[in-house]
Amino acid sequence: MAVDKSPAVSARGATKSFGQLRVLDGLDVDIPRGVTYCLLGPNGSGKTTFIRAIVRLLRLDSGELRVLDRPVSDVEEIYSRIGYMTQHKALYPDLTVEENMQFYSGLYGIKGQDREDRIEELLRMVDLSEHRKRLAGALSGGMYQRLSLACTLVHRPELLLLDEPTVGIDPRLRKTFWEYFQSMAEAGKTVIITTHLMDEAERCQMVGYMRAGRMAAQGSPEEILNQAGLGPRLRLWLAQPEDDAILLQSLGFEAEIDGGVVTVTLKSHAQIKDVLAQISPRDIRLSEPRLEEAFLRLSEGA
Ligand SMILES: Nc1ncnc2c1ncn2[C@@H]1O[C@H](COP(=O)(O)OP(=O)(O)OP(=O)(O)O)[C@@H](O)[C@H]1O
Ligand SMILES: [Mg+2]
């Protein structure tokens, strides 16, 4: 069988307004299959609206949207291949943990031993095996979130849409979740995830930064850093900082002096040895750029 190379989600000119407010403003994006893709952006930039458009909980005013190589108008036919975890509560509070999972399994026709095995595996992953008889309505915020994720995964979706799935999750389980998401991508599934946490974004293979209903920047975390002109930085303590800064600049390095310390912004780690071939610092410190800074720069520049 031919491998399907079409994007998991593809939008062209996607536009949506609520009254006077244009929330998606000609959004263009291709999200490839088999990746973890992080949707970032300030509050109100349109991330949730985009995800809701993908599952057709709302209709675009104009533009084109394709999901798993189908027009979004047919997306209901492929709901069994999609898992969506909303930013809001979507479980039955008067069913237990286990009953919620059985209910969601039933919706997708998962039955018998397969159902029991799947529930077992997922409850273990989200660390709720001990609490299977508790009512969903009586769970703590983080436990509720964990159950939501387990219910979203029960039918082994090939496209996962997770709207802030790690809010309220403690660091140990966040790590487990992320390992799980990465293993899903390795198995060829597509995981689209929104978060406000930069350390999570940095774990994704691709990042899309939305601003005012458009994709302001997209790429791997490294590419985003490059687009923003950010690279690893070397701070150098030198006997003659002015002379050395001028020397480095004359060789094409981006070097600045601040308080007697020279900071060189590199294009890659390979340049460290090129810098050290020219000068002999007393002390040296390397710092890695953060995505957060890149987005700030890209926002300011746009
Ligand atoms: N059903 C609706 N009716 C009216 N306005 C809406 C509706 N849904 C969203 N909006 C508005 O659209 C804008 C974008 O909302 P959206 O939920 O997509 O943002 P977001 O990027 O997900 O933000 P956050 O990071 O806070 O989750 C907001 O100003 C929001 O108030
Ligand atoms: Mg949102």
Side-chain angles (χ1 to χ4, degrees), residues 18 21 23 41-50 87 163-164 196:
F18 294 111
L21 185 66
V23 177
N43 293 135
S45 52
K47 304 178 297 295
T48 296
T49 303
F50 180 40
Q87 213 174 340
D163 205 351
E164 301 196 28
H196 287 288

Side-chain angles (χ1 to χ4, degrees), residues 4 7 10 36 54 62 76 83 157 192 197 210 213 226 246 278 282:
D4 194 340
S10 170
T36 46
I54 294 171
S62 60
E76 282 168 31
I192 302 176
L197 301 173
M210 283 186 73
N226 282 337
I246 290 167
Q278 301 297 330
R282 276 187 280 119

Side-chain angles (χ1 to χ4, degrees), residues 167-184:
V167 168
I169 304 292
D170 65 55
R172 182 182 59 88
L173 263 173
R174 280 215 296 141
K175 187 162 173 281
T176 310
F177 278 22
W178 275 94
E179 284 163 3
Y180 197 86
F181 301 152
Q182 280 153 348
S183 73
M184 288 190 68

Side-chain angles (χ1 to χ4, degrees), residues 87-98:
Q87 213 174 340
H88 303 288
K89 300 205 164 181
L91 302 175
Y92 292 93
D94 47 0
L95 295 186
T96 64
V97 165
E98 191 170 54

Side-chain angles (χ1 to χ4, degrees), residues 93-112:
D94 47 0
L95 295 186
T96 64
V97 165
E98 191 170 54
E99 287 164 348
N100 265 288
M101 291 213 65
Q102 288 165 347
F103 174 78
Y104 277 91
S105 307
L107 281 185
Y108 294 106
I110 299 168
K111 298 185 277 237

